[in-house]
Amino acid sequence: MLVYKIPYLIYVNVISLGSRRVVKEVLQKCVACRRYTSKTVVPVVPAPLPVDRINRVAAFEVTGSDLAGPIYLKRGEKAWIVIFTCAVYRAIYLELVICLSTKAFTQAMRCFLARRVRSSIMYTDNGKKSFGNVKSSRQSHLAINYG
């Protein structure tokens, strides 16, 4: 009811000091006023996907890898998870490693490549454990992009 009286009070100039704040508060709480004074929603245009992610290829042909952890096992040992993700279909493959050596990461990558389709492109970060695999990737003709 107070919402309907405010325009009348403004019209007859019977507004006291500090009423601007009161009017502003009432108008902000008024659902009908907010509905008609709201801005239109502008749809956000999504960024274009890289070509590697929109081509129809086999699962895990374009792959990304990263290390997660540490996790603590029941015996008190530390372990890490190597996460291999398919860039096209968003599938994941997890491999457990006990140490953070390049040899352990290479072994996890070999297990992944033995069970899945041979990857043609692999994205990974500049982590020290995966960076040592440049020589092994060149030998297996796997293009690894660091970045």
Side-chain angles (χ1 to χ4, degrees):
M1 291 190 180
L2 183 62
V3 176
Y4 298 113
K5 292 180 181 178
I6 290 175
Y8 177 74
L9 291 175
I10 294 172
Y11 180 73
V12 280
N13 296 324
V14 187
I15 297 178
S16 63
L17 295 175
S19 62
R20 180 179 289 230
R21 181 182 50 83
V22 174
V23 170
K24 188 183 255 187
E25 288 176 4
V26 171
L27 289 177
Q28 285 177 351
K29 292 178 184 177
C30 175
V31 178
C33 299
R34 290 182 73 185
R35 181 177 174 197
Y36 290 113
T37 60
S38 64
K39 297 178 183 176
T40 58
V41 178
V42 178
V44 177
V45 179
L49 291 174
V51 177
D52 294 337
R53 293 205 40 200
I54 57 175
N55 287 343
R56 288 272 184 185
V57 294
F60 290 103
E61 194 168 325
V62 180
T63 307
S65 68
D66 201 5
L67 284 167
I71 58 171
Y72 296 96
L73 303 177
K74 286 186 178 179
R75 290 176 265 149
E77 298 175 345
K78 279 188 189 179
W80 288 265
I81 300 171
V82 182
I83 304 170
F84 295 98
T85 61
C86 175
V88 178
Y89 299 108
R90 306 308 301 160
I92 62 168
Y93 177 83
L94 305 174
E95 191 72 38
L96 189 70
V97 292
I98 302 300
C99 63
L100 278 179
S101 65
T102 304
K103 185 177 180 181
F105 184 82
T106 306
Q107 185 64 29
M109 187 184 293
R110 284 185 184 173
C111 289
F112 167 72
L113 293 175
R115 292 182 184 204
R116 300 291 174 193
V117 175
R118 179 72 65 160
S119 295
S120 61
I121 298 172
M122 178 172 277
Y123 292 98
T124 185
D125 57 356
N126 270 336
K128 294 178 182 177
K129 307 308 172 203
S130 58
F131 192 76
N133 290 314
V134 174
K135 290 180 183 177
S136 65
S137 68
R138 287 184 184 155
Q139 291 171 358
S140 66
H141 306 292
L142 181 67
I144 295 184
N145 297 326
Y146 296 97

